[in-house]
Amino acid sequence: MRYSYDSLRRVWHAPFILLFFLGVWIGPVRLHPQCLDFKPPFQPAEELTFCVMYKDFGCCDSAKDQELMSKYYRIIDNFDDYGYATCAGYIQNIICQECSPYAAHLYDTEDPSTPIRALPGLCGDYCSDFWQKCRSAIPFLTDDRHLAKAGRDRGEFCGRAGLDDADYCFPNLVSNERLTRNLGRVGADSEGCLQLCLEEVANGLRNPLAMVHANDGTHRFFVAEQVGVVWAYLPDHSRLEKPFLNITQAVLTSPWEGDERGFLGLVFHPKFKYNRKLYVYYSVEVGFDERIRISEFRVSASDMNVVDHSSERIILEIDEPASNHNGGQLLFADDGYLYIFTGDGGMAGDPFGKYGNAQNKSALLGKVLRIDVDDNDRGPLYKIPLDNPFVHDREARPEVYAFGVRNMWRCSVDRGDRHTKEGKGRIFCGDVGQNKFEEVDIIEKGVNYGWRAKEGFSCYDKKLCANSSLGDVLPIYAYSHKMGKSVTGGYIYRGCEYPNLNGIYIFGDFMSGRMMALQENRRKGKWDYNEICMGMGQTCVFPGLINNYHPYIISFGEDEAGELYFMSTSFPSATSSSGVVYKLVDPSRRAPPRQCHYDPLPVRVKSTLIKFQPKEKLIGVEMSHKQPKLANRQQTTSSSSTDWLQDLMDLLGVQVSALGGTAPAPSPAPTPAQPHTGQRKKGKHGSKTRPQNGALRLAGDEEGRSDRGRVEIYVDGEWGTVCDDLWDEKSAGVACRQLGFHHALKASKQAEFGEGRSLRILLDDVQCEGAEQTLLDCRHTGVGMHNCAHYEDAGVICGND
């Protein structure tokens, strides 16, 4: 994009606007460790023998270390004894900066689009000393003829080879305690909130609530939607166009926000590679009754990426007295048995029977069930394991493994430490609370987890709580409803790629969007808590990483290699395609190169492959203080300078034309809920100020023009659309004036600017007189009340002429 001289002149004559944004958003930021391959540093698996200053942590493994040592000796062979004595240290230091944990900064290549420097950025005094004593080494250190030519003059050479910032050049960076103090550790803010990043791996999903793998060596992963569709993904994140499983006709759910019924769980048999079996957990309606159903399916013998839908065998059905608290977790533990986690039956306070379903061992609701589904092709569909705790109790169902649970939502099996296997086989669950507390439990045989007598650590039913025979086990952690109101259980991280996360239990809260972490403190006999925030500033400035997520955390998952993922959405409806799958990334440290390498088995694909297209963006990134180095790269053309200006304007959210006063700034991209960063502020999470009730934005124009689009309105904490019933020039005029324009050129109808399907319809039958300040001041049917659909989304074209 090009700019006229007059456009540029208007920008530079808007000092108040520009400097205001420069003062608030652009400033010196803490550098983040990054290697020349655009990834975090690591601890070498083998000791370095040449670049020993980085033997504990940096960007070189032993192979790279040997390569640099060979380069060093090739250069040193050109020097006599005096030259060796004088220059060997300088040459070794300069060469070894490729191993620095800040190599990407020193070589000015923090993103793949920038060319790498010929030499690391040197501090002024060090550069002058090197030039004075060893400038004859310059042609051997670099093939850059411009730099070699500049080596004839100290000022010109150090102008090119130096870095202006005395804190971030070599060798000052090595002794900068602020930068080196916590190298290799997970970053935390002043309140102890762990700073992680994300990679988007799938999107456009309808309430994705399970991500599983088949453990068959293919490293495929499968994502289940609440409506009853399961999609298959290849390791490169491409999706097969044909669903792996589609039982939407049988699954009971609805578009209602927060409906807990639907397709709720999926697990592959441990011997899936040989028997092709998988198990699903879903809601059904049988006559007038609602039930939960656990069924067995087989994958098609002719297509490994499609389930044979005719193979369904119903393993178990349980009547549900209410539509909520349906449980939904299925998993196979290390003992090979199938574990089923049911809810207490719904309503509130488990009101069923004298003590509720959860405390009634003769009921299957409010339980952890354990059954044996091996060798079930003939005879019963499942058997009872002989060591189930209540097999000899006549008043208990033999399937019961543990009881006293309310509605365990998402459980996982600990793979154990990769080397010691410590923790292997433990089952962690998040149990959703009633009025006050959410909890995390470790599941053990025969244990009573307390509900409805207790909620978290406190009494709920005081009479039951006082019963000395309760014998319940307390959770390993509980938190109050000030922090969140619906726990989503997670996983103990046991992957290979991020060693710092090993042994940390990562989980979340569906309602508050908090991401949380627990780590076992064996010395104190408790679990230490940390909140997880998304890294801000430069923390997540790596290719492909982002630092925000949709706020409703639905579920967590592992891939076949043990890396950790979670699923969230911006609008919790089974029909809203706003669900995204994210991979958790530690930006502070990775595993050494090639340590986590695996070769997936080939997948025979018969369906069309849909290439993954990420949509999420990094937010809140401050501009680097290194901008003046453009001159070092000879970027002096008008094209490059205007690109820099556009980058600046994009960062600030300001258009060049807007500074001239001809049009307002563009509307933000449409999102039903603000992206979640986990950054803690007073009262609420998030990195943005909450809009005022009635605020408007425009969205959906394919050319990105700011004067037209679908009208979206903010009411009571959420963005939504406006229906075009009764939508006319007067109403459109109110909207345009609210957005800063003089009048409306058109009141558009019939979703001219696309359908805002991920949002709720908030206003219908809007009738304005023309003098109102906002659309909310006009007559309408009431917020959230409508009888229309998104193909009737209203829009405007505004103008000032």
Side-chain angles (χ1 to χ4, degrees):
M1 185 174 182
R2 301 269 180 177
Y3 298 95
S4 67
Y5 169 78
D6 190 53
S7 296
L8 294 174
R9 185 170 58 80
R10 285 202 302 272
V11 173
W12 302 123
H13 283 80
F16 173 76
I17 297 175
L18 190 60
L19 291 176
F20 171 78
F21 280 104
L22 285 170
V24 173
W25 294 109
I26 303 177
V29 294
R30 183 181 182 275
L31 291 184
H32 68 304
Q34 184 175 325
C35 300
L36 294 180
D37 61 358
F38 315 111
K39 295 178 181 179
F42 54 88
Q43 182 179 340
E46 299 177 22
E47 190 170 343
L48 307 187
T49 58
F50 179 63
C51 298
V52 291
M53 68 175 73
Y54 301 119
K55 64 183 177 65
D56 295 321
F57 190 70
C59 293
C60 290
D61 58 9
S62 58
K64 183 66 176 178
D65 184 57
Q66 293 299 305
E67 177 189 322
L68 294 177
M69 184 165 64
S70 297
K71 178 179 179 180
Y72 165 82
Y73 281 120
R74 286 196 302 272
I75 296 173
I76 285 296
D77 283 345
N78 295 281
F79 289 80
D80 58 18
D81 290 344
Y82 175 79
Y84 175 82
T86 306
C87 298
Y90 283 106
I91 294 170
Q92 182 178 10
N93 282 340
I94 290 173
I95 287 175
C96 283
Q97 293 323 299
E98 290 189 39
C99 300
S100 167
Y102 290 103
H105 173 76
L106 289 170
Y107 285 88
D108 200 18
T109 178
E110 281 133 322
D111 69 78
S113 64
T114 57
I116 188 170
R117 292 173 59 113
L119 295 177
L122 305 178
C123 299
D125 291 343
Y126 187 86
C127 184
S128 294
D129 290 344
F130 168 70
W131 185 89
Q132 186 70 39
K133 299 175 182 177
C134 302
R135 57 183 177 272
S136 60
I138 295 172
F140 301 110
L141 283 166
T142 175
D143 295 327
D144 187 332
R145 58 188 180 85
H146 297 291
L147 191 58
K149 185 178 179 181
R152 300 169 189 170
D153 178 86
R154 177 170 61 183
E156 186 178 353
F157 173 76
C158 289
R160 289 177 174 272
L163 284 181
D164 295 333
D165 195 319
D167 288 331
Y168 299 111
C169 54
F170 179 82
N172 292 5
L173 185 147
V174 177
S175 58
N176 188 327
E177 185 182 352
R178 184 166 58 89
L179 294 178
T180 58
R181 185 186 311 126
N182 293 313
L183 267 178
R185 300 180 184 176
V186 179
D189 65 13
S190 58
E191 298 181 30
C193 197
L194 303 180
Q195 307 280 299
L196 297 182
C197 305
L198 305 174
E199 177 188 355
E200 181 187 3
V201 298
N203 53 38
L205 294 158
R206 294 166 293 182
N207 265 17
L209 44 71
M211 173 188 165
V212 299
H213 62 86
N215 198 32
D216 61 353
T218 64
H219 289 264
R220 292 173 295 169
F221 62 92
F222 303 83
V223 179
E225 296 178 316
Q226 188 176 351
V227 291
V229 176
V230 180
W231 300 102
Y233 292 82
L234 299 186
D236 66 356
H237 305 163
S238 58
R239 176 174 66 83
L240 276 72
E241 184 178 45
K242 186 176 182 179
F244 177 71
L245 176 68
N246 186 347
I247 54 171
T248 53
Q249 296 301 313
V251 170
L252 173 63
T253 190
S254 76
W256 303 337
E257 183 177 350
D259 192 341
E260 298 179 23
R261 302 167 301 175
F263 189 102
L264 302 176
L266 164 71
V267 68
F268 287 84
H269 194 282
K271 298 177 182 177
F272 168 78
K273 191 173 182 178
Y274 307 103
N275 63 24
R276 310 193 325 274
K277 290 183 179 181
L278 61 144
Y279 298 84
V280 300
Y281 186 131
Y282 61 99
S283 304
V284 294
E285 192 169 35
V286 180
F288 295 102
D289 297 328
E290 292 186 11
R291 298 178 184 175
I292 53 175
R293 175 181 291 171
I294 290 85
S295 285
E296 176 188 274
F297 286 90
R298 286 181 188 263
V299 167
S300 168
S302 60
D303 188 344
M304 65 187 298
N305 296 304
V306 175
V307 166
D308 178 359
H309 290 69
S310 66
S311 68
E312 180 176 14
R313 298 198 301 167
I314 299 171
I315 301 293
L316 184 65
E317 280 189 347
I318 306 171
D319 285 331
E320 279 282 358
S323 61
N324 59 336
H325 301 184
N326 301 299
Q329 182 69 52
L330 295 176
L331 59 81
F332 282 94
D334 284 4
D335 55 19
Y337 296 129
L338 178 62
Y339 288 71
I340 303 166
F341 299 78
T342 64
D344 66 6
M347 300 180 72
D350 193 4
F352 308 103
K354 187 175 181 181
Y355 304 113
N357 281 324
Q359 290 297 319
N360 178 7
K361 292 195 288 290
S362 67
L364 294 179
L365 295 172
K367 306 293 187 299
V368 180
L369 310 178
R370 181 189 189 226
I371 60 176
D372 181 359
V373 292
D374 281 349
D375 304 319
N376 66 348
D377 293 333
R378 293 195 180 107
L381 293 173
Y382 72 87
K383 300 184 288 291
I384 303 298
L386 296 178
D387 62 341
N388 266 13
F390 304 110
V391 289
H392 302 299
D393 186 342
R394 293 183 179 179
E395 297 183 357
R397 288 289 298 260
E399 296 92 342
V400 175
Y401 184 78
F403 64 105
V405 305
R406 184 175 178 273
N407 191 38
M408 286 186 162
W409 182 248
R410 292 315 175 231
C411 305
S412 62
V413 180
D414 185 359
R415 294 183 178 214
D417 184 272
R418 292 174 59 85
H419 305 290
T420 67
K421 300 304 178 185
E422 181 181 348
K424 189 176 189 315
R426 294 180 297 180
I427 300 175
F428 289 79
C429 286
D431 198 5
V432 180
Q434 180 70 49
N435 299 325
K436 295 182 178 180
F437 297 99
E438 307 297 304
E439 67 181 67
V440 176
D441 299 293
I442 296 180
I443 303 303
E444 297 176 353
K445 182 168 70 174
V447 165
N448 179 4
Y449 289 93
W451 176 252
R452 73 182 187 200
K454 290 184 178 177
E455 179 187 12
F457 294 111
S458 71
C459 289
Y460 177 80
D461 183 322
K462 293 183 179 179
K463 186 175 181 181
L464 275 178
C465 192
N467 189 335
S468 60
S469 64
L470 187 65
D472 63 313
V473 169
L474 296 176
I476 62 169
Y477 183 74
Y479 61 92
S480 76
H481 280 192
K482 293 180 180 179
M483 292 174 59
K485 296 182 178 180
S486 183
V487 66
T488 300
Y491 283 78
I492 292 271
Y493 179 81
R494 298 298 189 185
C496 172
E497 294 180 16
Y498 306 110
N500 284 338
L501 301 183
N502 181 47
I504 296 179
Y505 179 72
I506 295 177
F507 64 111
D509 188 276
F510 174 79
M511 293 300 295
S512 70
R514 283 181 188 263
M515 192 82 69
M516 297 170 276
L518 298 175
Q519 190 160 24
E520 189 173 13
N521 188 329
R522 290 183 175 274
R523 184 173 60 84
K524 294 183 179 180
K526 67 184 188 71
W527 290 75
D528 295 329
Y529 170 84
N530 281 98
E531 194 159 334
I532 292 175
C533 299
M534 296 295 100
M536 301 305 290
Q538 298 291 302
T539 305
C540 297
V541 183
F542 292 89
L545 297 192
I546 57 175
N547 60 352
N548 60 97
Y549 56 90
H550 293 313
Y552 297 100
I553 301 174
I554 305 174
S555 190
F556 285 79
E558 274 184 329
D559 64 18
E560 193 166 345
E563 299 306 320
L564 187 54
Y565 301 74
F566 72 95
M567 290 138 274
S568 68
T569 184
S570 59
F571 185 64
S573 163
T575 57
S576 172
S577 300
S578 58
V580 180
V581 180
Y582 304 93
K583 180 181 179 181
L584 283 158
V585 174
D586 174 15
S588 65
R589 177 189 171 196
R590 60 167 157 154
R594 296 175 294 279
Q595 187 176 92
C596 304
H597 177 76
Y598 57 84
D599 293 310
L601 294 177
V603 177
R604 210 169 178 190
V605 175
K606 296 186 176 182
S607 172
T608 301
L609 278 178
I610 300 174
K611 187 178 179 181
F612 171 62
Q613 297 290 340
K615 296 180 180 179
E616 307 299 312
K617 304 293 183 184
L618 192 70
I619 65 172
V621 179
E622 298 165 304
M623 183 170 285
S624 170
H625 60 286
K626 300 186 300 176
Q627 189 61 46
K629 281 198 298 187
L630 283 173
N632 288 347
R633 297 209 184 123
Q634 300 179 320
Q635 293 180 346
T636 56
T637 66
S638 61
S639 173
S640 63
S641 61
T642 53
D643 288 345
W644 175 84
L645 179 64
Q646 181 61 58
D647 290 343
L648 175 61
M649 294 299 101
D650 290 344
L651 180 69
L652 301 178
V654 177
Q655 285 188 330
V656 173
S657 60
L659 297 176
T662 59
S667 308
T671 49
Q674 293 291 345
H676 210 290
T677 65
Q679 303 300 312
R680 291 179 291 189
K681 298 191 176 184
K682 290 183 179 179
K684 297 281 183 181
H685 291 292
S687 61
K688 296 184 179 180
T689 304
R690 180 185 289 271
Q692 292 185 342
N693 254 14
L696 296 185
R697 66 187 185 190
L698 300 181
D701 181 55
E702 292 182 355
E703 297 180 25
R705 291 168 291 189
S706 61
D707 61 349
R708 65 197 65 194
R710 181 177 61 251
V711 174
E712 295 180 356
I713 187 167
Y714 186 86
V715 184
D716 296 336
E718 68 173 313
W719 287 97
T721 61
V722 178
C723 195
D724 66 13
D725 293 344
L726 304 182
W727 186 249
D728 59 13
E729 298 289 344
K730 287 185 178 180
S731 300
V734 171
C736 286
R737 284 190 291 275
Q738 189 178 341
L739 289 163
F741 294 91
H742 292 165
H743 52 258
L745 301 178
K746 180 181 180 181
S748 70
K749 297 186 177 185
Q750 297 296 303
E752 178 182 345
F753 296 102
E755 299 180 15
R757 292 186 179 183
S758 62
L759 308 180
R760 280 207 304 154
I761 298 171
L762 294 183
L763 293 185
D764 190 12
D765 291 344
V766 177
Q767 293 178 278
C768 301
E769 298 297 327
E772 294 88 349
Q773 295 295 312
T774 73
L775 288 183
L776 277 183
D777 300 329
C778 303
R779 293 196 302 276
H780 52 80
T781 56
V783 174
M785 301 182 66
H786 65 87
N787 62 349
C788 55
H790 278 296
Y791 63 80
E792 301 169 277
D793 282 345
V796 292
I797 298 178
C798 303
N800 291 318
D801 299 331

